[in-house]
Amino acid sequence: MTVPLSILDVAQIGEGESSGDSFRWSVRMAQAAERQGYRRIWYAEHHNMPSIASSATSVLIAHIAANTESIRLGSGGVMLPNHAPLTIAEQFGTLAELHPGRIDLGLGRAPGSDQQTMRALRRDPSSADSFPQDVLELQGYLTGPSRIPGIEAVPGRGTGVPLYILGSSLFGAKLAAMLGLPYAFASHFAPDALDDAVALYRREFRPSAQLEQPYLIAAVNVIAADTEDEAQRLFTATKRSRVQRFVGRGRTFTPEETDLVLESPAGRQVLGMMRHTGVGTARQVRDYLDSFTDRTGADELMVVSSVTERAAWLRSLELVAEVSELTSLAH
């Protein structure tokens, strides 16, 4: 690999697991990723999802940071319309003061939830419209000057926590370019706009105090195993899990039912979300990541492994690190 690799940990709650189990596995993975040379790990804000435990994103980051030493940690991302910018500045300012030089703040404008959950969050559906202004307000709290006279983030002020814009459409690409911020594209689940978004971001990028040149992070799914047959078995289990999550709506499918759903329009839509997936032995996955990097021109890849078996999940990320010479790229 010629670009750094990072990890998006969705903090999934496996079958028979509790949220606490998920957090313990996330700590174990982060400690391994630190040894293996991954650059950073991000955690995403989701709400009311029984299979994902990262809803209190800043709290989870604090826990992982306290149990690691050097790897960068951040949000991938905080859904800013759910929060007051001052609150996020204080949370991530606190993290930055506790763990200097290790904290990232990725920002998205999606709700990270459904309509009913939006109401439970006391979220105004129109709040996403002010996302660009909220990003600038947040940036002011962290880097100065504050855009609201007399209001400062303490902690937060002067920490300069780096901001990243997340997106799966042209909106985020355009905003990141306009503000001169790094851009992370969610190609691991929303591949359709990847090429257009990357082109727009690079074409319209304006240098800023944070960033002189465009910096693109592209997310990509990986399932690596010691044999190709084992990787394909894990991939099948992952596809079934995705269908259960997105199509099941509370109903539990048998494997046979799941396979039938995979052949339906809804199932094909779920599979389409995983278009950018490297599956196979470590070498095969590395070759896929190399070709994906060449295609996108990404400056960094953020790998996502949604393998449902915990030991296999850790092994998948370990194998990718082993063949990608990450130690030499970690700094």
Side-chain angles (χ1 to χ4, degrees):
M1 292 296 300
T2 57
V3 300
L5 290 187
S6 297
I7 297 171
L8 176 65
D9 179 2
V10 297
Q12 65 180 355
I13 303 171
E15 185 175 352
E17 290 184 349
S18 67
S19 295
D21 295 327
S22 173
F23 299 147
R24 284 184 282 275
W25 279 107
S26 286
V27 168
R28 182 173 172 183
M29 186 276 288
Q31 291 170 338
E34 186 171 71
R35 294 191 303 269
Q36 293 157 2
Y38 283 96
R39 172 165 289 189
R40 69 183 98 232
I41 306 172
W42 282 358
Y43 305 87
E45 176 186 346
H46 293 281
H47 299 282
N48 196 35
M49 296 188 70
S51 60
I52 296 180
S54 52
S55 54
T57 314
S58 60
V59 180
L60 179 56
I61 293 169
H63 179 62
I64 302 294
N67 285 278
T68 51
E69 296 180 358
S70 59
I71 194 167
R72 294 194 68 90
L73 301 164
S75 58
V78 160
M79 300 299 105
L80 191 54
N82 293 341
H83 311 276
L86 178 60
T87 299
I88 297 303
E90 291 168 343
Q91 290 177 5
F92 280 78
T94 299
L95 289 169
E97 294 286 5
L98 290 170
H99 307 284
R102 295 183 59 196
I103 302 301
D104 302 325
L105 179 46
L107 301 168
R109 69 175 184 131
S113 59
D114 53 45
Q115 295 289 326
Q116 188 77 349
T117 307
M118 286 170 56
R119 287 191 284 273
L121 288 167
R122 303 297 191 269
R123 181 179 183 268
D124 183 342
S126 66
S127 57
D129 297 340
S130 63
F131 180 65
Q133 292 76 27
D134 288 346
V135 171
L136 289 171
E137 181 183 337
L138 174 57
Q139 189 177 49
Y141 291 136
L142 296 171
T143 62
S146 172
R147 289 179 170 256
I148 300 181
I151 304 298
E152 302 287 351
V154 182
R157 179 180 57 192
T159 56
V161 175
L163 303 184
Y164 297 74
I165 299 297
L166 278 60
S168 57
S169 68
L170 302 187
F171 181 91
K174 193 173 188 67
L175 180 63
M178 180 178 69
L179 300 182
L181 294 176
Y183 180 52
F185 189 86
S187 33
H188 65 299
F189 74 85
D192 291 344
L194 172 62
D195 296 331
D196 290 341
V198 169
L200 186 153
Y201 172 62
R202 295 196 181 282
R203 183 176 65 249
E204 299 192 8
F205 180 85
R206 302 176 187 174
S208 69
Q210 179 175 329
L211 195 64
E212 293 184 0
Q213 300 290 335
Y215 192 86
L216 172 69
I217 301 175
V220 59
N221 298 292
V222 295
I223 298 178
D226 290 295
T227 67
E228 187 173 358
D229 286 347
E230 174 65 2
Q232 289 296 333
R233 183 188 70 80
L234 294 169
F235 188 33
T236 297
T238 297
K239 289 186 286 187
R240 287 172 172 167
S241 176
R242 289 273 184 115
V243 164
Q244 183 66 61
R245 182 190 307 173
F246 291 108
V247 184
R249 301 184 184 277
R251 177 188 171 191
T252 300
F253 294 139
T254 66
E256 292 77 15
E257 289 173 329
T258 304
D259 290 342
L260 287 174
V261 174
L262 282 169
E263 298 175 3
S264 71
R268 287 194 293 271
Q269 183 177 5
V270 171
L271 293 180
M273 295 166 64
M274 300 182 68
R275 185 186 314 160
H276 299 306
T277 301
V279 182
T281 64
R283 182 63 58 182
Q284 288 171 323
V285 171
R286 196 191 94 154
D287 289 345
Y288 180 87
L289 295 179
D290 284 339
S291 65
F292 184 77
T293 303
D294 290 342
R295 174 193 163 176
T296 60
D299 301 288
E300 181 177 336
L301 297 184
M302 184 157 283
V303 299
V304 188
S305 185
S306 49
V307 171
T308 56
E309 299 170 23
R310 287 300 190 178
W313 175 59
L314 294 178
R315 181 59 175 158
S316 180
L317 295 169
E318 178 186 20
L319 287 168
V320 172
E322 285 179 356
V323 298
S324 301
E325 301 172 358
L326 294 186
T327 303
S328 63
L329 295 169
H331 305 289

